[in-house]
Amino acid sequence: MKEYDVAILGAGPAGLAAALYTSRSLLKTIVIEHEAVGGLIITTDIVDNYPGAEVGSTGYSIAERMREQAQEAGAEIAMASAKSVQALENGLMTALSIGEDILSKAVIIATGTKHRMLGVPGETDFRGKGVSYCATCDAGFFKNKKVAVIGGGDTALKEAVYLAKFASEIVIVHRRDALRASVSVSKHASQNPKISFMMDYAVKSINGDSRVSSITLEHNQTGIAEELAVDGVFIFAGQQPNSDIFQDIVDTDESGYIITDEKMQTSASGIFAAGDVRATPLRQAITAAADGAIAAYTAEQLISDI
Ligand code: NAP
């Protein structure tokens, strides 16, 4: 079993900021990531609300710099899934998918969120065959094609604007008659001539043979169903916390987000949570990074008291 001062689960802005701060405090730090270093921000095209970022900065470029800074400060990054966290007499043990376990004095959970699925027929079958959850990743496959974007939040509308660089037509389908997205993001999308809206429609199914060819929609007021011919469906129905494996060791809210105090301390001693996975009023890269710095600071205080 390898021993560290701090084990950080998740290498998004929260985890990488925490790693930068713990490493700069000379704490032996490992960051464990199971998918892509950088987290969800790497699927964002242009990031224009991170203070100090260069004009035209992409989510990927910001995340890459965060990774470099954490590693330059001395943090290790390991590719593996955390399977569980358990309190032992001499510390906290994180069991990893690669067979090797980590013993640490503190654990910072920064595992972020995952895409919420619609749960309609065809969604899983056509994933990668016309169904996507990432415009930055897949927009290039839909040049001069018609696509539907599902959702009325900031992500849906921003991604629709990005898709408009590639697709010939984008129909935003939203389940209510009012958008959730902010006024500025909504205005930007509604001014794009390639983008139209179908408001107050529920998606009933995603259809096709080998690939998506249409979606079936039902109007919430009239109950009338209609089929919309599309080549692709981009789903942006919000996020769910990656907190399943922690449910038995830390308190969570009714949606599964981890509850912390203002110092990022969870209900379990030595275990902190930071970023999108915790119950917080704002989920942005800047708040995630700030959470990571606070969690690192509190972890350092705890370790120095041991
Ligand atoms: P979100 O704000 O939770 O929006 C999710 C959207 O999906 C909502 O419009 C929701 O409808 C819809 N939805 C949820 N479940 C659905 C279902 N089963 N069927 C159909 N539609 C469904 O999520 P988000 O857009 O990913 O944004 C997450 C956070 O990141 C927000 O705080 C947002 O402000 C922030 N963000 C900010 C920016 C920016 O540039 N400032 C960019 C991206 C994201 P309802 O509206 O009816 O609930």
Side-chain angles (χ1 to χ4, degrees), residues 176-231:
R176 289 189 293 129
D177 59 3
L179 292 170
R180 178 176 291 277
S182 63
V183 174
S184 63
V185 172
S186 304
K187 197 171 156 196
H188 199 195
S190 50
Q191 283 172 345
N192 191 307
K194 286 186 177 178
I195 298 176
S196 61
F197 291 83
M198 288 183 77
M199 304 293 281
D200 226 356
Y201 278 92
V203 179
K204 302 311 266 186
S205 65
I206 300 172
N207 321 308
D209 290 324
S210 56
R211 290 189 58 82
V212 169
S213 58
S214 72
I215 53 176
T216 303
L217 303 173
E218 188 179 287
H219 193 266
N220 291 327
Q221 305 303 322
T222 64
I224 295 171
E226 58 183 278
E227 200 161 329
L228 180 72
V230 288
D231 302 297

Side-chain angles (χ1 to χ4, degrees), residues 40 44 46-49 115-120 150-159 173-182 184-185 201-203 235-239 257 276 281-284:
L40 265 194
T44 302
I46 301 296
V47 175
D48 48 18
N49 60 357
H115 302 296
R116 180 181 292 124
M117 294 180 68
L118 298 179
V120 297
I150 316 299
D154 281 326
T155 304
L157 271 67
K158 281 199 91 170
E159 298 294 277
V173 178
H174 182 37
R175 65 181 178 181
R176 289 189 293 129
D177 59 3
L179 292 170
R180 178 176 291 277
S182 63
S184 63
V185 172
Y201 278 92
V203 179
I235 298 168
F236 303 111
Q239 306 293 325
Y257 290 98
D276 289 4
L282 185 62
R283 293 192 173 85
Q284 300 274 291

